[in-house]
């Protein structure tokens, strides 16, 4: 359990860090890309307003005026830094003329092909990697202007890869730090949990001695004075306390990091058939309708005694808490690579809020009902401990609020 707590702490921390880095780096790269597109569109608008050419440079006044907002002023070096070409198309999409004097990587045929594709797209602007284009309507037809964005895209791509690499490196560094500090954070919890587990085990063994003495004294009294209602009451309560003590000790042992058992290969179908058959008599004696469907020839590698107890706990719980004339059904089958064991029983009332807590230790949905049936609120905790020890999954669901389906996947 402590290991699961530590893993959850690490997972939450890393997901939080990943989310923060994704938002920061994603925002920065999106802003850079939008700025790249805006700069290219700014150049394209200047070219479209001057028929595919930059305007001739004008002499600067000695005291230049402050540029107006949203003006399309250009720097004096822009015409010499920009690689571009354009093509003029008629109304039918036929290239009339091309201008490739400001680019060396494109010939007339390629420029015409790019222009025709841009015209067919029916979009005012877009990308033909590595060119950003703009289709502007003129009295002569449609002028498709292309600006080479190779340098800008290369810079953007380099920054993107660098940011991803730095983020992954930072994420790995944070993982090492979280892994180290998570052990320090969970160490007091682990020590407290270990002390609690050890106390339960030790107390359980200590309680067994006075229980044995009480039972021995009860038997002596019954031999001398005969059985009566008080001796029977002492026997029942001693038996209940013995069952509770054994369950607590067993639960504590199953929750240890290493099981003191030897796993073996066995027929889980035969084990399930044997267990369900033994509970069939009990169910019918209490007026329940019991049925079992066991898929034959299924084998499993695990603790046979623990699996037998798992089946017994679930069947006993289903019979115990089903109403008179209720239905109890057990099914063992195979789902993919997993072996599935389900126990279904009708119930008087089960709220959806109770389902997540059914496997909690000492949890009771109805304290009075549990007292009447002799439950301690620990049976399903034992079932979950056995399932977790075998790296399986256990869950409970109720579709109508008047039935319970417990599913175990091994």
């Amino acid at each position: 359990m402590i290991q699961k707590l530590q893993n959850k702490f690490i997972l939450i921390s890393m997901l939080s860090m990943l989310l923060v880095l994704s938002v920061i780096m994603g925002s920065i790269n999106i802003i850079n890309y939008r700025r790249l597109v805006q700069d290219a569109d700014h150049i394209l608008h200047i070219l479209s307003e001057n028929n595919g050419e930059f305007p001739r440079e004008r002499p600067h006044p000695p005291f230049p005026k402050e540029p107006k907002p949203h003006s399309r002023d250009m720097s004096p070096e822009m015409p010499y830094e920009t690689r571009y070409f354009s093509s003029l198309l008629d109304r039918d999409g036929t290239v009339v003329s091309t201008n490739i004097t400001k680019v060396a990587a494109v010939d007339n045929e390629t420029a015409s092909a790019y222009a025709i594709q841009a015209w067919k797209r029916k979009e005012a602007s877009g990308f033909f990697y590595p060119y950003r284009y703009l289709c502007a309507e003129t009295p002569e037809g449609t002028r498709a202007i292309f600006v080479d964005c190779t340098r800008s895209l290369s810079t953007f791509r380099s920054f993107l890869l660098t940011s991803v690499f730095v983020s992954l490196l930072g994420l790995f560094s944070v993982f090492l730090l979280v892994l180290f500090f998570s052990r320090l954070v969970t160490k007091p919890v682990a020590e407290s949990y270990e002390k609690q587990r050890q106390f339960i085990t030790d107390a359980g063994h200590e309680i067994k001695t006075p229980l044995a003495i009480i039972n021995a004294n009860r038997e002596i009294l019954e031999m001398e004075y005969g059985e009566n209602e008080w001796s029977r009451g002492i026997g029942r309560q001693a038996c209940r306390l013995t069952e509770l003590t054994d369950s607590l000790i067993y639960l504590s042992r199953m929750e240890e990091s290493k099981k003191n058992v030897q796993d073996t290969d066995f027929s889980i179908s035969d084990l399930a058939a044997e267990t369900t058959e033994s509970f069939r008599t009990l169910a019918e004696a209490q007026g329940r309708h019991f049925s079992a469907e066991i898929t034959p020839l299924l084998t499993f590698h695990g603790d046979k005694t623990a699996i037998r107890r798992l089946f017994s706990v679930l069947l006993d719980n289903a019979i115990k808490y089903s109403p008179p004339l209720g239905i109890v059904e057990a099914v063992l089958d195979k789902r993919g690579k997993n072996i599935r064991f389900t126990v279904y029983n009708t119930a008087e009332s089960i709220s959806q809020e109770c389902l997540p807590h059914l496997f909690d230790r000492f949890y009771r949905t109805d304290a009075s009902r549990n007292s009447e049936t002799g439950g301690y609120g620990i049976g399903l905790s034992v079932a979950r401990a056995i399932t977790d020890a075998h790296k399986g999954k256990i869950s409970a669901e109720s579709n109508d609020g008047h039935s319970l389906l417990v599913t175990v996947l091994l």
Side-chain angles (χ1 to χ4, degrees):
M1 189 184 74
I2 302 301
Q3 185 63 41
K4 288 185 177 181
L5 179 63
Q6 182 180 356
N7 292 339
K8 287 183 179 179
F9 177 78
I10 295 174
L11 180 61
I12 293 174
S13 301
M14 296 309 299
L15 288 178
S16 301
M17 186 65 184
L18 178 61
L19 179 61
V20 172
L21 285 176
S22 299
V23 171
I24 293 175
M25 293 304 175
S27 300
I28 293 175
N29 283 282
I30 290 174
I31 292 173
N32 285 340
Y33 183 77
R34 293 188 63 182
R35 182 61 185 270
L36 181 154
V37 173
Q38 288 175 358
D39 290 344
D41 288 344
H42 176 63
I43 295 174
L44 287 170
H45 280 96
I46 293 176
L47 293 172
S48 67
E49 291 176 353
N50 295 273
N51 295 323
E53 296 283 348
F54 280 107
R56 294 183 179 180
E57 184 178 358
R58 299 176 182 178
H60 294 283
F63 300 101
K65 298 181 180 179
E66 183 179 354
K68 298 180 181 180
H70 308 292
S71 65
R72 294 182 177 177
D73 293 340
M74 66 178 189
S75 67
E77 302 298 329
M78 183 180 293
Y80 305 99
E81 296 174 348
T82 307
R83 302 289 90 189
Y84 64 94
F85 63 93
S86 63
S87 298
L88 181 65
L89 299 92
D90 59 18
R91 303 298 178 185
D92 298 327
T94 302
V95 176
V96 177
S97 62
T98 59
N99 182 0
I100 57 172
T101 58
K102 297 297 183 179
V103 65
V106 176
D107 54 18
N108 287 320
E109 183 179 353
T110 305
S112 300
Y114 273 122
I116 293 173
Q117 292 182 41
W119 184 81
K120 290 181 178 180
R121 280 190 177 183
K122 305 299 182 181
E123 295 178 356
S125 61
F127 262 110
F128 279 118
Y129 187 85
Y131 301 106
R132 178 77 176 175
Y133 73 87
L134 173 68
C135 292
E137 296 296 333
T138 65
E140 295 83 8
T142 302
R143 185 178 299 279
I145 308 172
F146 296 82
V147 172
D148 187 2
C149 300
T150 302
R151 184 180 300 176
S152 299
L153 288 173
S154 177
T155 303
F156 168 76
R157 185 167 56 252
S158 298
F159 182 83
L160 176 62
L161 295 176
T162 302
S163 64
V164 171
F165 175 76
V166 172
S167 299
L168 292 177
L169 183 62
L171 201 63
F172 179 72
S173 302
V174 171
F175 171 74
L176 296 179
L177 291 174
V178 171
L179 182 63
F180 173 75
F181 285 110
S182 64
R183 295 176 180 175
L184 298 180
V185 171
T186 57
K187 185 177 180 180
V189 180
E191 292 176 352
S192 176
Y193 181 78
E194 180 61 25
K195 291 179 181 178
Q196 179 191 31
R197 189 195 61 78
Q198 190 63 41
F199 169 77
I200 293 175
T201 304
D202 295 342
H205 288 296
E206 292 296 329
I207 291 174
K208 282 187 174 182
T209 300
L211 283 176
I213 296 174
I214 290 173
N215 275 322
N217 292 337
R218 178 184 61 83
E219 292 176 358
I220 294 174
L221 289 174
E222 288 180 348
M223 291 173 58
E224 292 189 5
Y225 301 102
E227 184 179 356
N228 53 54
E229 58 179 316
W230 293 283
S231 64
R232 288 194 297 269
I234 293 174
R236 285 193 300 268
Q237 297 307 317
C239 182
R240 284 169 56 88
L241 189 55
T242 301
E243 291 179 2
L244 176 59
T245 303
D246 291 340
S247 297
L248 286 173
I249 294 175
Y250 185 82
L251 179 61
S252 180
R253 288 177 177 174
M254 291 304 300
E255 290 180 343
E256 291 180 5
S257 58
K258 293 183 180 180
K259 301 185 298 177
N260 298 319
V261 295
Q262 184 176 1
D263 293 341
T264 58
D265 292 321
F266 62 93
S267 174
I268 196 171
S269 297
D270 294 343
L271 180 64
E274 176 187 339
T275 308
T276 54
E277 192 61 31
S278 63
F279 276 92
R280 183 188 302 275
T281 305
L282 176 63
E284 293 175 351
Q286 296 183 7
R288 273 69 167 177
H289 299 283
F290 187 90
S291 63
E293 183 180 343
I294 309 299
T295 301
L297 303 178
L298 295 180
T299 59
F300 182 69
H301 181 79
D303 182 2
K304 184 176 181 179
T305 303
I307 298 299
R308 185 194 305 274
R309 184 156 190 164
L310 170 64
F311 292 166
S312 299
V313 165
L314 296 181
L315 292 171
D316 180 68
N317 185 80
I319 295 173
K320 187 181 295 182
Y321 297 124
S322 61
L325 302 179
I327 299 174
V328 178
E329 298 176 350
V331 177
L332 178 75
D333 56 11
K334 193 169 185 179
R335 285 293 182 270
K337 296 182 180 181
N338 298 320
I339 293 177
R340 185 182 68 171
F341 183 70
T342 61
V343 178
Y344 169 87
N345 69 277
T346 54
E348 294 178 358
S349 177
I350 296 179
S351 62
Q352 294 294 330
E353 292 78 8
C354 296
L355 294 179
H357 306 287
L358 286 180
F359 302 101
D360 294 345
R361 193 181 302 182
F362 300 116
Y363 181 78
R364 296 180 176 182
T365 57
D366 187 347
S368 61
R369 186 185 69 176
N370 276 276
S371 298
E372 293 171 359
T373 54
Y376 309 107
I378 199 173
L380 292 181
S381 300
V382 173
R384 182 178 65 176
I386 296 173
T387 305
D388 292 343
H390 289 82
K391 298 181 180 180
K393 295 181 181 180
I394 187 169
S395 61
E397 59 180 303
S398 178
N399 295 327
D400 54 8
H402 295 282
S403 64
L404 179 66
L405 177 66
V406 179
T407 303
V408 176
L409 288 177
L410 298 172

